[in-house]
Amino acid sequence: MERVGMMNNSSNGQSLWHSSSQSPKTPTTMLDRALSSRRPHSDADLPDSGESGTDESKTKRPHVYLLASNFVSRIGHQWLPCLIIALLFLVLLFLTSLAFHSSSFVCVSRFDPAARIGFFGFDGLESDFGALGVPWCRSKHGKEVEWTSKDLLKALEEFVPIYETRPIKNNMHGMGFDHSFGLWFMARWLKPELMIESGAFKGHSTWVMRQAMPDTPIISLTPRHPEKYLKKGPAYVDGNCTYFAGKDFVDFGSVDWKNVLKKHGVKDLNRVLVFFDDHQNELKRIKQALKAGFQHLIFEDNYDTGTGDHYSLRQICDQSYIKGGGHSCFKDSDEARIRSNRKKFWEKAVDTEELCGPGETWWGVRGEMRDDFNHSNTQISYNQHFQNSRYVESILDVYWELPPVAGPSLTHQSRYDPARSTPPVVADGRRRLFQRIGLGRLDKSVFNGYTQMYWKILSSSVFMVVGTMAERWTNTALLVIDMQNDFIEEGSVTQVKGGKAIVPNVIRVVELARQRGVLVVWDKRFLLSVLKVVREHDPQGRDVEIFRRHHYRSEKVGPVVKGTLGSKLVDGLNIREEEDYKIVKTRFSAFFGTHLHSFLQTSGFTKLVIAGVQTPNCIRQTVFDAVELDYPDVTVIVDATAAATPEIHTANILDMRNIGVKTPTLHEWSEEFA
Ligand SMILES: C[S@@+](CC[C@H](N)C(=O)[O-])C[C@H]1O[C@@H](n2cnc3c(N)ncnc32)[C@H](O)[C@@H]1O
């Protein structure tokens, strides 16, 4: 939850929206003003136009007709010209009114720009703003959640009566209805074995999780124990919860999770749900969660770019190359105009003043990576921000944002900008549905504070790459050389004796490179980080080195003949046909007679990492060529390459080291980024 209770500045804790809906006073927020001219003063006065939508603006028309007829009666003696003018005026008014309301106040949807124009109508503002889009983190492989909007709707109906029994009725500075619902829904759906929360405040979110999973243990990390709040008013302390609170407080990142989980008998980390509502930099939390091995994370506050007190996923994934990212910080730009117009209607809209920092920085909040309730902020460069998003997307299996439960006109919200959120579960205008599922019974103030809560699944066994270190991996290509059956498996005339032993290491190198590769070459999606360099020879050996041609003269199939089992990669080396690039060579060097150099050059790869067999021939020759061709950074993973004997291997590695080639072990290579 956002701490600053913009909607809630009345002393009795009731929201302005609440008080304004109680009595027909002067509207108090910009949205209030915008909508109050178009709606009756209280909900009870609203005609129920059914689920197809309520055109509340129609209530304004009688005043217009009244004014027109008064005008005609006052100027009765010049009746003919005046009547014509009045008629023209009425026609004009009618047409304007049609333009305003014909698409009605219904179903505002991110995917329905036409409806949005109808929603705002004012100056094409909405269609303009739509072009600015919504930042969205991309899940790998396009995975999505299994629940549907129908499931959400059904669950909403179930949740309303549960929510009505909450012990903390006024949870200002804590979760409102939307996020309580989201947390309850996801916990119930995912059925975790253990739930962990970071940031409990008075215990409302603990209570929500308990409602979802009555018997599941909870671990709660929060600096102040919720029982402390009991002295002053309602709070919730759970009987099946281990609190790391008060003097026992430990920050999530410092908990010895291995030990704690062992104590709780948790074996499968995939069955643990971690809920963060602690306003810490989400990148930091993701790295900590990954390190501990957690996969299911829910973050309560997913602030939009330019808003909030910590670096959120939305901010991280807001990038210049996506629609909605790369914001313009020019004061005279279209974006600045649109933003400033929207600010009049939605408190959550940010204008360029708020969005942009020094030097036209726009990512995060004014170019800052915020942390710890805005207490610790760091200015980051666009490049760092960019690397952060590449990193996050490389480990993201599923990313799902909870939509607002109901449209802003139903909940009287001004705290989220509908143009920058997912379509509500109960779309705007569906008043009858809103009432039917019981949402109408709730105080309007509980709908405030929606900030795009989200759930994500992280990939398991992900290699951590930290911030700027990731930059080292830009423009890097891994060359996996000759890891084919005929060079590795016993019984082949071309078997390299030490080859079999390095297979697991080569597999690991590929895994790591792939994880980093996603990160480092993502911006050039069409490029690939793993290059398989293989031999594929003519059955008669006409393209093989002369000294080997005799292998092809017998009845037997020669080594690595194209299409044979011997030419296939060894088992376990999971090269992805569709993803990884293949270079076929017929000589030792991967550069000789191939287009490797041209490929690397034109694709922007300058750094090479090499694994495979065998050290004195193909590895060495490729490495020497790379050095001769002025590749500035060549690495040979010393235990992911092999020769017939350790002595040959060591001597050749020494030669390569002597010409400036890096020769780390696999462990050293991976440790660089641990
Ligand atoms: C917005 S409130 C949480 C609201 C609560 N989840 C609810 O729904 O009512 C944020 C909480 O995070 C706590 N907090 C601050 N720093 C923290 C940290 N490093 N780890 C865990 N909680 C922290 C604050 O003390 C506060 O109780």
Side-chain angles (χ1 to χ4, degrees), residues 1 171 173-175 197-205 221-224 229 249 251-252 275 277-280 285 372-373:
M1 282 297 310
N171 195 33
H173 302 314
M175 293 202 297
E197 81 173 324
S198 184
F201 188 37
K202 295 187 218 169
H204 173 76
S205 41
L221 316 166
T222 197
R224 192 174 150 95
Y229 293 95
F249 171 69
D251 183 76
F252 179 86
F275 169 65
D277 188 7
D278 56 10
H279 292 241
Q280 305 296 305
R285 285 299 191 222
D372 196 14
F373 293 87

PDB file of all heavy atoms in Angstrom, residues 1 171 173-175 197-205 221-224 229 249 251-252 275 277-280 285 372-373, ligand 1:
ATOM      1  N   MET A   1       0.832  -1.194   0.000  1.00  0.00           N
ATOM      2  CA  MET A   1       0.000   0.000   0.000  1.00  0.00           C
ATOM      3  C   MET A   1       0.865   1.241   0.000  1.00  0.00           C
ATOM      4  O   MET A   1       1.885   1.289   0.637  1.00  0.00           O
ATOM      5  CB  MET A   1      -0.837   0.049   1.271  1.00  0.00           C
ATOM      6  CG  MET A   1      -2.026  -0.861   1.250  1.00  0.00           C
ATOM      7  SD  MET A   1      -3.194  -0.456   0.003  1.00  0.00           S
ATOM      8  CE  MET A   1      -3.407   1.259   0.258  1.00  0.00           C
ATOM      9  N   ASN A 171      -8.062  -0.057   7.436  1.00  0.00           N
ATOM     10  CA  ASN A 171      -6.659  -0.479   7.310  1.00  0.00           C
ATOM     11  C   ASN A 171      -5.847   0.559   6.540  1.00  0.00           C
ATOM     12  O   ASN A 171      -5.085   0.232   5.632  1.00  0.00           O
ATOM     13  CB  ASN A 171      -6.590  -1.849   6.638  1.00  0.00           C
ATOM     14  CG  ASN A 171      -5.237  -2.492   6.795  1.00  0.00           C
ATOM     15  OD1 ASN A 171      -4.580  -2.303   7.813  1.00  0.00           O
ATOM     16  ND2 ASN A 171      -4.807  -3.249   5.793  1.00  0.00           N
ATOM     17  N   HIS A 173      -3.093   2.793   5.282  1.00  0.00           N
ATOM     18  CA  HIS A 173      -1.663   2.477   5.128  1.00  0.00           C
ATOM     19  C   HIS A 173      -1.427   0.983   4.904  1.00  0.00           C
ATOM     20  O   HIS A 173      -0.281   0.557   4.761  1.00  0.00           O
ATOM     21  CB  HIS A 173      -0.810   2.929   6.327  1.00  0.00           C
ATOM     22  CG  HIS A 173      -0.916   4.384   6.604  1.00  0.00           C
ATOM     23  ND1 HIS A 173      -0.843   5.338   5.627  1.00  0.00           N
ATOM     24  CD2 HIS A 173      -1.110   5.049   7.777  1.00  0.00           C
ATOM     25  CE1 HIS A 173      -0.982   6.529   6.161  1.00  0.00           C
ATOM     26  NE2 HIS A 173      -1.154   6.377   7.465  1.00  0.00           N
ATOM     27  N   GLY A 174      -2.496   0.193   4.935  1.00  0.00           N
ATOM     28  CA  GLY A 174      -2.369  -1.234   4.635  1.00  0.00           C
ATOM     29  C   GLY A 174      -3.230  -1.557   3.434  1.00  0.00           C
ATOM     30  O   GLY A 174      -3.707  -0.653   2.727  1.00  0.00           O
ATOM     31  N   MET A 175      -3.473  -2.838   3.189  1.00  0.00           N
ATOM     32  CA  MET A 175      -4.197  -3.218   1.982  1.00  0.00           C
ATOM     33  C   MET A 175      -5.668  -2.853   2.047  1.00  0.00           C
ATOM     34  O   MET A 175      -6.301  -2.967   3.093  1.00  0.00           O
ATOM     35  CB  MET A 175      -4.111  -4.729   1.780  1.00  0.00           C
ATOM     36  CG  MET A 175      -2.725  -5.215   1.461  1.00  0.00           C
ATOM     37  SD  MET A 175      -2.769  -6.802   0.623  1.00  0.00           S
ATOM     38  CE  MET A 175      -3.495  -7.818   1.851  1.00  0.00           C
ATOM     39  N   GLU A 197       5.287 -13.760   4.715  1.00  0.00           N
ATOM     40  CA  GLU A 197       4.983 -12.359   4.370  1.00  0.00           C
ATOM     41  C   GLU A 197       6.063 -11.457   4.928  1.00  0.00           C
ATOM     42  O   GLU A 197       6.588 -11.688   6.014  1.00  0.00           O
ATOM     43  CB  GLU A 197       3.596 -11.936   4.858  1.00  0.00           C
ATOM     44  CG  GLU A 197       3.520 -11.552   6.292  1.00  0.00           C
ATOM     45  CD  GLU A 197       2.165 -10.964   6.700  1.00  0.00           C
ATOM     46  OE1 GLU A 197       1.536 -10.253   5.899  1.00  0.00           O
ATOM     47  OE2 GLU A 197       1.760 -11.230   7.845  1.00  0.00           O
ATOM     48  N   SER A 198       6.366 -10.436   4.166  1.00  0.00           N
ATOM     49  CA  SER A 198       7.318  -9.437   4.632  1.00  0.00           C
ATOM     50  C   SER A 198       6.580  -8.111   4.632  1.00  0.00           C
ATOM     51  O   SER A 198       6.202  -7.596   3.567  1.00  0.00           O
ATOM     52  CB  SER A 198       8.530  -9.406   3.690  1.00  0.00           C
ATOM     53  OG  SER A 198       9.481  -8.508   4.181  1.00  0.00           O
ATOM     54  N   GLY A 199       6.340  -7.561   5.818  1.00  0.00           N
ATOM     55  CA  GLY A 199       5.575  -6.314   5.948  1.00  0.00           C
ATOM     56  C   GLY A 199       4.149  -6.603   6.361  1.00  0.00           C
ATOM     57  O   GLY A 199       3.250  -6.738   5.524  1.00  0.00           O
ATOM     58  N   ALA A 200       3.921  -6.728   7.675  1.00  0.00           N
ATOM     59  CA  ALA A 200       2.585  -7.143   8.145  1.00  0.00           C
ATOM     60  C   ALA A 200       1.755  -5.977   8.679  1.00  0.00           C
ATOM     61  O   ALA A 200       0.527  -6.074   8.734  1.00  0.00           O
ATOM     62  CB  ALA A 200       2.730  -8.193   9.244  1.00  0.00           C
ATOM     63  N   PHE A 201       2.406  -4.933   9.130  1.00  0.00           N
ATOM     64  CA  PHE A 201       1.703  -3.793   9.729  1.00  0.00           C
ATOM     65  C   PHE A 201       0.816  -4.297  10.867  1.00  0.00           C
ATOM     66  O   PHE A 201       1.292  -4.979  11.753  1.00  0.00           O
ATOM     67  CB  PHE A 201       0.962  -3.061   8.613  1.00  0.00           C
ATOM     68  CG  PHE A 201       0.324  -1.757   9.003  1.00  0.00           C
ATOM     69  CD1 PHE A 201       0.931  -0.891   9.917  1.00  0.00           C
ATOM     70  CD2 PHE A 201      -0.888  -1.353   8.453  1.00  0.00           C
ATOM     71  CE1 PHE A 201       0.344   0.319  10.269  1.00  0.00           C
ATOM     72  CE2 PHE A 201      -1.486  -0.144   8.783  1.00  0.00           C
ATOM     73  CZ  PHE A 201      -0.865   0.678   9.692  1.00  0.00           C
ATOM     74  N   LYS A 202      -0.489  -4.048  10.842  1.00  0.00           N
ATOM     75  CA  LYS A 202      -1.341  -4.490  11.965  1.00  0.00           C
ATOM     76  C   LYS A 202      -1.804  -5.942  11.803  1.00  0.00           C
ATOM     77  O   LYS A 202      -2.527  -6.457  12.633  1.00  0.00           O
ATOM     78  CB  LYS A 202      -2.573  -3.599  12.052  1.00  0.00           C
ATOM     79  CG  LYS A 202      -2.275  -2.159  12.403  1.00  0.00           C
ATOM     80  CD  LYS A 202      -3.578  -1.421  12.624  1.00  0.00           C
ATOM     81  CE  LYS A 202      -3.529  -0.015  12.102  1.00  0.00           C
ATOM     82  NZ  LYS A 202      -4.848   0.618  12.071  1.00  0.00           N
ATOM     83  N   GLY A 203      -1.441  -6.551  10.696  1.00  0.00           N
ATOM     84  CA  GLY A 203      -1.761  -7.970  10.531  1.00  0.00           C
ATOM     85  C   GLY A 203      -2.909  -8.261   9.574  1.00  0.00           C
ATOM     86  O   GLY A 203      -3.347  -9.404   9.466  1.00  0.00           O
ATOM     87  N   HIS A 204      -3.352  -7.248   8.834  1.00  0.00           N
ATOM     88  CA  HIS A 204      -4.477  -7.501   7.928  1.00  0.00           C
ATOM     89  C   HIS A 204      -4.118  -8.543   6.860  1.00  0.00           C
ATOM     90  O   HIS A 204      -4.885  -9.471   6.600  1.00  0.00           O
ATOM     91  CB  HIS A 204      -4.939  -6.202   7.266  1.00  0.00           C
ATOM     92  CG  HIS A 204      -5.965  -6.417   6.203  1.00  0.00           C
ATOM     93  ND1 HIS A 204      -7.282  -6.697   6.488  1.00  0.00           N
ATOM     94  CD2 HIS A 204      -5.863  -6.438   4.850  1.00  0.00           C
ATOM     95  CE1 HIS A 204      -7.944  -6.866   5.355  1.00  0.00           C
ATOM     96  NE2 HIS A 204      -7.103  -6.712   4.347  1.00  0.00           N
ATOM     97  N   SER A 205      -2.932  -8.394   6.261  1.00  0.00           N
ATOM     98  CA  SER A 205      -2.573  -9.345   5.206  1.00  0.00           C
ATOM     99  C   SER A 205      -2.382 -10.745   5.776  1.00  0.00           C
ATOM    100  O   SER A 205      -2.662 -11.744   5.092  1.00  0.00           O
ATOM    101  CB  SER A 205      -1.329  -8.884   4.439  1.00  0.00           C
ATOM    102  OG  SER A 205      -0.364  -8.359   5.315  1.00  0.00           O
ATOM    103  N   LEU A 221       7.500 -11.479   8.693  1.00  0.00           N
ATOM    104  CA  LEU A 221       8.653 -10.638   9.023  1.00  0.00           C
ATOM    105  C   LEU A 221       8.194  -9.192   9.027  1.00  0.00           C
ATOM    106  O   LEU A 221       7.732  -8.690   7.989  1.00  0.00           O
ATOM    107  CB  LEU A 221       9.753 -10.787   7.969  1.00  0.00           C
ATOM    108  CG  LEU A 221      10.105 -12.189   7.472  1.00  0.00           C
ATOM    109  CD1 LEU A 221      10.945 -12.110   6.224  1.00  0.00           C
ATOM    110  CD2 LEU A 221      10.863 -12.936   8.553  1.00  0.00           C
ATOM    111  N   THR A 222       8.292  -8.562  10.159  1.00  0.00           N
ATOM    112  CA  THR A 222       7.845  -7.168  10.201  1.00  0.00           C
ATOM    113  C   THR A 222       8.486  -6.491  11.417  1.00  0.00           C
ATOM    114  O   THR A 222       8.559  -7.108  12.494  1.00  0.00           O
ATOM    115  CB  THR A 222       6.291  -7.104  10.213  1.00  0.00           C
ATOM    116  OG1 THR A 222       5.857  -5.807   9.862  1.00  0.00           O
ATOM    117  CG2 THR A 222       5.675  -7.573  11.532  1.00  0.00           C
ATOM    118  N   PRO A 223       9.007  -5.290  11.256  1.00  0.00           N
ATOM    119  CA  PRO A 223       9.772  -4.694  12.360  1.00  0.00           C
ATOM    120  C   PRO A 223       8.964  -4.534  13.645  1.00  0.00           C
ATOM    121  O   PRO A 223       9.471  -4.726  14.728  1.00  0.00           O
ATOM    122  CB  PRO A 223      10.191  -3.326  11.808  1.00  0.00           C
ATOM    123  CG  PRO A 223      10.111  -3.445  10.339  1.00  0.00           C
ATOM    124  CD  PRO A 223       9.036  -4.446  10.052  1.00  0.00           C
ATOM    125  N   ARG A 224       7.724  -4.165  13.544  1.00  0.00           N
ATOM    126  CA  ARG A 224       6.902  -3.964  14.738  1.00  0.00           C
ATOM    127  C   ARG A 224       5.880  -5.098  14.821  1.00  0.00           C
ATOM    128  O   ARG A 224       5.153  -5.354  13.853  1.00  0.00           O
ATOM    129  CB  ARG A 224       6.186  -2.617  14.591  1.00  0.00           C
ATOM    130  CG  ARG A 224       5.524  -2.108  15.837  1.00  0.00           C
ATOM    131  CD  ARG A 224       4.998  -0.707  15.534  1.00  0.00           C
ATOM    132  NE  ARG A 224       3.818  -0.414  16.320  1.00  0.00           N
ATOM    133  CZ  ARG A 224       3.839   0.219  17.474  1.00  0.00           C
ATOM    134  NH1 ARG A 224       4.964   0.638  17.964  1.00  0.00           N
ATOM    135  NH2 ARG A 224       2.721   0.448  18.133  1.00  0.00           N
ATOM    136  N   TYR A 229       0.055  -3.203  18.087  1.00  0.00           N
ATOM    137  CA  TYR A 229      -1.041  -2.337  17.629  1.00  0.00           C
ATOM    138  C   TYR A 229      -2.322  -2.610  18.412  1.00  0.00           C
ATOM    139  O   TYR A 229      -3.210  -1.777  18.453  1.00  0.00           O
ATOM    140  CB  TYR A 229      -1.299  -2.533  16.131  1.00  0.00           C
ATOM    141  CG  TYR A 229      -0.162  -2.060  15.256  1.00  0.00           C
ATOM    142  CD1 TYR A 229       0.813  -2.946  14.816  1.00  0.00           C
ATOM    143  CD2 TYR A 229      -0.056  -0.721  14.876  1.00  0.00           C
ATOM    144  CE1 TYR A 229       1.866  -2.530  14.023  1.00  0.00           C
ATOM    145  CE2 TYR A 229       0.999  -0.291  14.075  1.00  0.00           C
ATOM    146  CZ  TYR A 229       1.957  -1.212  13.657  1.00  0.00           C
ATOM    147  OH  TYR A 229       2.993  -0.786  12.861  1.00  0.00           O
ATOM    148  N   PHE A 249      13.057  -9.266  14.929  1.00  0.00           N
ATOM    149  CA  PHE A 249      12.916  -8.957  13.496  1.00  0.00           C
ATOM    150  C   PHE A 249      14.205  -9.247  12.724  1.00  0.00           C
ATOM    151  O   PHE A 249      15.295  -8.905  13.147  1.00  0.00           O
ATOM    152  CB  PHE A 249      12.527  -7.492  13.296  1.00  0.00           C
ATOM    153  CG  PHE A 249      12.579  -7.076  11.853  1.00  0.00           C
ATOM    154  CD1 PHE A 249      11.656  -7.580  10.950  1.00  0.00           C
ATOM    155  CD2 PHE A 249      13.573  -6.215  11.378  1.00  0.00           C
ATOM    156  CE1 PHE A 249      11.702  -7.234   9.599  1.00  0.00           C
ATOM    157  CE2 PHE A 249      13.636  -5.860  10.037  1.00  0.00           C
ATOM    158  CZ  PHE A 249      12.692  -6.371   9.154  1.00  0.00           C
ATOM    159  N   ASP A 251      15.423  -9.002   8.559  1.00  0.00           N
ATOM    160  CA  ASP A 251      15.015  -8.651   7.203  1.00  0.00           C
ATOM    161  C   ASP A 251      15.021  -9.909   6.328  1.00  0.00           C
ATOM    162  O   ASP A 251      15.849 -10.813   6.525  1.00  0.00           O
ATOM    163  CB  ASP A 251      15.972  -7.608   6.613  1.00  0.00           C
ATOM    164  CG  ASP A 251      15.542  -7.174   5.232  1.00  0.00           C
ATOM    165  OD1 ASP A 251      14.589  -6.389   5.141  1.00  0.00           O
ATOM    166  OD2 ASP A 251      16.128  -7.660   4.226  1.00  0.00           O
ATOM    167  N   PHE A 252      14.098  -9.965   5.380  1.00  0.00           N
ATOM    168  CA  PHE A 252      13.962 -11.123   4.487  1.00  0.00           C
ATOM    169  C   PHE A 252      15.314 -11.552   3.901  1.00  0.00           C
ATOM    170  O   PHE A 252      15.621 -12.733   3.806  1.00  0.00           O
ATOM    171  CB  PHE A 252      12.984 -10.777   3.362  1.00  0.00           C
ATOM    172  CG  PHE A 252      12.788 -11.882   2.369  1.00  0.00           C
ATOM    173  CD1 PHE A 252      11.839 -12.869   2.599  1.00  0.00           C
ATOM    174  CD2 PHE A 252      13.540 -11.946   1.208  1.00  0.00           C
ATOM    175  CE1 PHE A 252      11.659 -13.908   1.691  1.00  0.00           C
ATOM    176  CE2 PHE A 252      13.371 -12.967   0.292  1.00  0.00           C
ATOM    177  CZ  PHE A 252      12.426 -13.949   0.531  1.00  0.00           C
ATOM    178  N   PHE A 275       4.939 -13.323   0.081  1.00  0.00           N
ATOM    179  CA  PHE A 275       4.176 -12.099  -0.164  1.00  0.00           C
ATOM    180  C   PHE A 275       4.966 -10.906   0.380  1.00  0.00           C
ATOM    181  O   PHE A 275       5.322 -10.876   1.555  1.00  0.00           O
ATOM    182  CB  PHE A 275       2.813 -12.215   0.532  1.00  0.00           C
ATOM    183  CG  PHE A 275       2.048 -10.924   0.577  1.00  0.00           C
ATOM    184  CD1 PHE A 275       1.600 -10.322  -0.586  1.00  0.00           C
ATOM    185  CD2 PHE A 275       1.775 -10.295   1.788  1.00  0.00           C
ATOM    186  CE1 PHE A 275       0.899  -9.126  -0.552  1.00  0.00           C
ATOM    187  CE2 PHE A 275       1.068  -9.101   1.835  1.00  0.00           C
ATOM    188  CZ  PHE A 275       0.628  -8.515   0.663  1.00  0.00           C
ATOM    189  N   ASP A 277       5.013  -6.943   1.118  1.00  0.00           N
ATOM    190  CA  ASP A 277       4.356  -5.631   1.213  1.00  0.00           C
ATOM    191  C   ASP A 277       5.218  -4.767   2.135  1.00  0.00           C
ATOM    192  O   ASP A 277       4.743  -4.199   3.100  1.00  0.00           O
ATOM    193  CB  ASP A 277       2.933  -5.800   1.787  1.00  0.00           C
ATOM    194  CG  ASP A 277       2.133  -4.500   1.731  1.00  0.00           C
ATOM    195  OD1 ASP A 277       2.629  -3.524   1.139  1.00  0.00           O
ATOM    196  OD2 ASP A 277       1.024  -4.462   2.295  1.00  0.00           O
ATOM    197  N   ASP A 278       6.503  -4.748   1.815  1.00  0.00           N
ATOM    198  CA  ASP A 278       7.439  -4.065   2.717  1.00  0.00           C
ATOM    199  C   ASP A 278       8.126  -2.872   2.074  1.00  0.00           C
ATOM    200  O   ASP A 278       9.071  -2.319   2.612  1.00  0.00           O
ATOM    201  CB  ASP A 278       8.479  -5.064   3.235  1.00  0.00           C
ATOM    202  CG  ASP A 278       9.223  -5.770   2.091  1.00  0.00           C
ATOM    203  OD1 ASP A 278       9.070  -5.346   0.920  1.00  0.00           O
ATOM    204  OD2 ASP A 278       9.925  -6.748   2.358  1.00  0.00           O
ATOM    205  N   HIS A 279       7.671  -2.516   0.895  1.00  0.00           N
ATOM    206  CA  HIS A 279       8.147  -1.317   0.205  1.00  0.00           C
ATOM    207  C   HIS A 279       9.662  -1.276   0.019  1.00  0.00           C
ATOM    208  O   HIS A 279      10.290  -0.238   0.163  1.00  0.00           O
ATOM    209  CB  HIS A 279       7.650  -0.059   0.936  1.00  0.00           C
ATOM    210  CG  HIS A 279       6.167   0.092   0.828  1.00  0.00           C
ATOM    211  ND1 HIS A 279       5.576   1.174   0.220  1.00  0.00           N
ATOM    212  CD2 HIS A 279       5.166  -0.718   1.228  1.00  0.00           C
ATOM    213  CE1 HIS A 279       4.253   1.013   0.276  1.00  0.00           C
ATOM    214  NE2 HIS A 279       3.990  -0.135   0.886  1.00  0.00           N
ATOM    215  N   GLN A 280      10.202  -2.445  -0.275  1.00  0.00           N
ATOM    216  CA  GLN A 280      11.638  -2.497  -0.572  1.00  0.00           C
ATOM    217  C   GLN A 280      11.807  -2.633  -2.087  1.00  0.00           C
ATOM    218  O   GLN A 280      10.911  -3.121  -2.774  1.00  0.00           O
ATOM    219  CB  GLN A 280      12.273  -3.713   0.117  1.00  0.00           C
ATOM    220  CG  GLN A 280      12.046  -3.783   1.618  1.00  0.00           C
ATOM    221  CD  GLN A 280      12.690  -2.639   2.371  1.00  0.00           C
ATOM    222  OE1 GLN A 280      13.883  -2.413   2.249  1.00  0.00           O
ATOM    223  NE2 GLN A 280      11.900  -1.898   3.149  1.00  0.00           N
ATOM    224  N   ARG A 285      14.586  -7.652  -3.696  1.00  0.00           N
ATOM    225  CA  ARG A 285      13.813  -8.755  -3.135  1.00  0.00           C
ATOM    226  C   ARG A 285      13.814  -9.969  -4.060  1.00  0.00           C
ATOM    227  O   ARG A 285      13.913 -11.108  -3.606  1.00  0.00           O
ATOM    228  CB  ARG A 285      12.364  -8.304  -2.872  1.00  0.00           C
ATOM    229  CG  ARG A 285      12.200  -7.399  -1.656  1.00  0.00           C
ATOM    230  CD  ARG A 285      12.642  -8.093  -0.395  1.00  0.00           C
ATOM    231  NE  ARG A 285      12.291  -7.392   0.820  1.00  0.00           N
ATOM    232  CZ  ARG A 285      13.112  -7.259   1.860  1.00  0.00           C
ATOM    233  NH1 ARG A 285      14.350  -7.745   1.817  1.00  0.00           N
ATOM    234  NH2 ARG A 285      12.706  -6.650   2.953  1.00  0.00           N
ATOM    235  N   ASP A 372      13.268   1.042   0.279  1.00  0.00           N
ATOM    236  CA  ASP A 372      12.939   1.235   1.684  1.00  0.00           C
ATOM    237  C   ASP A 372      12.081   2.492   1.925  1.00  0.00           C
ATOM    238  O   ASP A 372      12.509   3.414   2.586  1.00  0.00           O
ATOM    239  CB  ASP A 372      14.254   1.300   2.489  1.00  0.00           C
ATOM    240  CG  ASP A 372      14.011   1.108   3.961  1.00  0.00           C
ATOM    241  OD1 ASP A 372      12.906   0.679   4.336  1.00  0.00           O
ATOM    242  OD2 ASP A 372      14.930   1.415   4.748  1.00  0.00           O
ATOM    243  N   PHE A 373      10.902   2.475   1.413  1.00  0.00           N
ATOM    244  CA  PHE A 373       9.943   3.575   1.601  1.00  0.00           C
ATOM    245  C   PHE A 373      10.541   4.927   1.182  1.00  0.00           C
ATOM    246  O   PHE A 373      10.343   5.919   1.863  1.00  0.00           O
ATOM    247  CB  PHE A 373       9.513   3.679   3.065  1.00  0.00           C
ATOM    248  CG  PHE A 373       8.707   2.519   3.566  1.00  0.00           C
ATOM    249  CD1 PHE A 373       9.325   1.390   4.083  1.00  0.00           C
ATOM    250  CD2 PHE A 373       7.323   2.556   3.524  1.00  0.00           C
ATOM    251  CE1 PHE A 373       8.582   0.326   4.557  1.00  0.00           C
ATOM    252  CE2 PHE A 373       6.576   1.491   3.998  1.00  0.00           C
ATOM    253  CZ  PHE A 373       7.201   0.377   4.519  1.00  0.00           C
TER     254      PHE A 373
HETATM  255  C1  LIG B   1       2.261  -1.101   3.911  1.00  0.00           C
HETATM  256  S1  LIG B   1       2.638  -1.819   5.404  1.00  0.00           S
HETATM  257  C2  LIG B   1       2.077  -3.453   5.251  1.00  0.00           C
HETATM  258  C3  LIG B   1       0.594  -3.567   5.236  1.00  0.00           C
HETATM  259  C4  LIG B   1       0.060  -4.925   5.497  1.00  0.00           C
HETATM  260  N1  LIG B   1       0.579  -5.911   4.581  1.00  0.00           N
HETATM  261  C5  LIG B   1      -1.431  -4.889   5.413  1.00  0.00           C
HETATM  262  O1  LIG B   1      -1.977  -5.419   4.477  1.00  0.00           O
HETATM  263  O2  LIG B   1      -2.032  -4.318   6.259  1.00  0.00           O
HETATM  264  C6  LIG B   1       4.348  -1.969   5.312  1.00  0.00           C
HETATM  265  C7  LIG B   1       4.937  -2.678   6.484  1.00  0.00           C
HETATM  266  O3  LIG B   1       6.280  -3.013   6.177  1.00  0.00           O
HETATM  267  C8  LIG B   1       7.036  -2.924   7.352  1.00  0.00           C
HETATM  268  N2  LIG B   1       8.462  -2.898   7.010  1.00  0.00           N
HETATM  269  C9  LIG B   1       9.314  -1.879   6.909  1.00  0.00           C
HETATM  270  N3  LIG B   1      10.543  -2.324   6.584  1.00  0.00           N
HETATM  271  C10 LIG B   1      10.456  -3.651   6.484  1.00  0.00           C
HETATM  272  C11 LIG B   1      11.379  -4.682   6.183  1.00  0.00           C
HETATM  273  N4  LIG B   1      12.653  -4.430   5.884  1.00  0.00           N
HETATM  274  N5  LIG B   1      10.947  -5.960   6.188  1.00  0.00           N
HETATM  275  C12 LIG B   1       9.656  -6.255   6.475  1.00  0.00           C
HETATM  276  N6  LIG B   1       8.735  -5.305   6.751  1.00  0.00           N
HETATM  277  C13 LIG B   1       9.130  -4.031   6.767  1.00  0.00           C
HETATM  278  C14 LIG B   1       6.496  -1.681   7.994  1.00  0.00           C
HETATM  279  O4  LIG B   1       6.845  -1.626   9.359  1.00  0.00           O
HETATM  280  C15 LIG B   1       5.006  -1.862   7.745  1.00  0.00           C
HETATM  281  O5  LIG B   1       4.435  -2.584   8.798  1.00  0.00           O
END
